Amino acid sequence: MLEIRWVVAVVFFELIVNVTGLYLPTQQVQQLENYHSFKVVKPPYLYSIDHYFQQHEHSNEEEQVNEDAEISDINNIGLKPHYTWDKILDDIRHLNKKHKKHQFKLFFLQRHGEGWHNYAMEEKYNSTEWKCYWQLQSGDFDGTIEWDDAELTPKGKQQVDDLSKQFSLEGIPKPSKYFVSPLRRTLETWERMWRNSKENSVIPVVKEKARETYGIGTESKRHNKTYIIDKYPYVEFEAGFSEQDELWSSAEHESSQHRNWRVQQLLIEIFEETHEDDDIVISLVSHSGTISSILKVIGHKKWKLPTGSMIPVVIGIDWTKGGKTYKLNKPWKTFEDYCPSN
């Protein structure tokens, strides 16, 4: 009877975690499983260190472009002139030694190159046509364009190749750990960026929480695990990665509140999985909405990433200080929200 009660308790508190956004540390999950005492706590505090990159001092939001003309001169990386990459890495190592209850890492947050869905939305159809009809389709009528789990366009491939060359020419430090969204455009971007370079022995971990805002539009639905293994046989999958896409729905579109909660959990997982002292440079290949939420969660200024570009951020995590919790009480959008019937 006692064992049954503890199993019920574990399930109950896992439900609380999923619904409220409360964070249950790994060691406390293990305690629960061993029938020890438990305590549900807030998620750890995530933040950015703001002084290394020009993006921290500016914003490239559309309404501010005319006021800040110099924004267009900032390249994909934006390292300030009086800093070097070696200086940043030395600072991170020093901070990690000094603050035992904190961790710091340099993240390269990379958006995939242009996908066929980007091309269709921007070049082929207007906003109403896309939202009310074409986002529900797998591609156009004549079969020349497919955006169901979209792949990269020729322009998108060139964008990634150009960024890869920039990394080589500017001596930017290579990541020691790689994480990637399970959608085809991000996997293809990762492959062109890293596997096709001299670092072709590296392996990315596929993370479900790194995917784009999902639902309704076919471009946000991933292929199954078997397909990904066949097409990208070198990848690793996080524990529990499902065969089928169990998140995508044709009826609902993920809310920004849920996406913020999701990326918070993603960052916590990455910090938990990269404790080694050498793992201070992290690559995450993801999507515009996901990266936008990451910047929001860590308190970074807004930064709109064009396809194929990247933003570097030094992220810290304080395991002793509670971060934001998400009630997950804001409704998800439906097709009628995008395309009202009247």
Side-chain angles (χ1 to χ4, degrees), residues 34-92:
N34 293 324
Y35 312 121
H36 292 154
S37 62
F38 56 82
K39 179 183 179 182
V40 178
V41 297
K42 284 187 174 183
Y45 178 66
L46 291 157
Y47 59 101
S48 62
I49 297 180
D50 295 342
H51 52 264
Y52 295 115
F53 303 103
Q54 297 179 58
Q55 293 93 330
H56 290 289
E57 297 181 354
H58 304 288
S59 173
N60 66 350
E61 290 292 280
E62 292 179 359
E63 64 270 18
Q64 298 183 15
V65 168
N66 292 333
E67 299 175 15
D68 298 323
E70 71 272 18
I71 295 302
S72 61
D73 297 328
I74 296 178
N75 62 17
N76 283 320
I77 307 302
L79 180 65
K80 289 182 179 178
H82 50 285
Y83 283 107
T84 66
W85 293 108
D86 286 341
K87 167 64 174 171
I88 295 176
L89 298 185
D90 286 344
D91 285 355
I92 291 174

Side-chain angles (χ1 to χ4, degrees), residues 184-195:
R184 291 195 295 181
R185 54 191 178 274
T186 42
L187 289 162
E188 189 177 359
T189 294
W190 186 92
E191 185 174 68
R192 298 187 75 89
M193 181 73 187
W194 301 113
R195 188 156 183 93

Side-chain angles (χ1 to χ4, degrees), residues 159-315:
Q159 289 172 333
V160 179
D161 293 346
D162 290 344
L163 183 59
S164 179
K165 290 177 184 177
Q166 183 180 353
F167 256 67
S168 299
L169 292 174
E170 297 185 11
I172 301 170
K174 296 293 192 300
S176 61
K177 295 291 184 182
Y178 300 82
F179 300 93
V180 63
S181 154
L183 296 177
R184 291 195 295 181
R185 54 191 178 274
T186 42
L187 289 162
E188 189 177 359
T189 294
W190 186 92
E191 185 174 68
R192 298 187 75 89
M193 181 73 187
W194 301 113
R195 188 156 183 93
N196 290 349
S197 70
K198 294 180 181 179
E199 305 294 325
N200 59 3
S201 62
V202 298
I203 296 173
V205 177
V206 179
K207 284 277 193 184
E208 193 81 276
K209 292 187 181 74
R211 66 191 293 170
E212 182 58 294
T213 318
Y214 52 83
I216 298 181
T218 61
E219 87 286 343
S220 66
K221 182 180 181 180
R222 70 165 172 84
H223 278 68
N224 62 37
K225 185 177 181 180
T226 299
Y227 174 93
I228 297 173
I229 293 173
D230 289 342
K231 192 170 180 64
Y232 305 97
Y234 50 82
V235 305
E236 291 183 358
F237 293 89
E238 65 181 342
F241 191 88
S242 62
E243 170 65 20
Q244 302 298 330
D245 187 348
E246 298 177 356
L247 298 180
W248 185 88
S249 167
S250 62
E252 290 184 317
H253 190 265
E254 185 185 22
S255 69
S256 59
Q257 182 193 59
H258 187 274
R259 189 182 66 205
N260 292 341
W261 170 83
R262 170 164 61 89
V263 304
Q264 180 191 58
Q265 304 306 306
L266 171 66
L267 291 174
I268 293 170
E269 287 178 7
I270 290 175
F271 272 99
E272 287 185 323
E273 295 166 13
T274 56
H275 277 300
E276 290 79 4
D277 291 339
D278 292 337
D279 291 335
I280 60 174
V281 183
I282 306 296
S283 163
L284 175 61
V285 182
S286 190
H287 308 262
S288 59
T290 307
I291 294 173
S292 174
S293 281
I294 290 176
L295 297 181
K296 182 177 181 64
V297 165
I298 64 174
H300 190 285
K301 281 195 173 184
K302 291 182 179 180
W303 191 263
K304 298 187 69 151
L305 280 175
T307 53
S309 63
M310 172 186 290
I311 183 170
V313 192
V314 177
I315 302 178

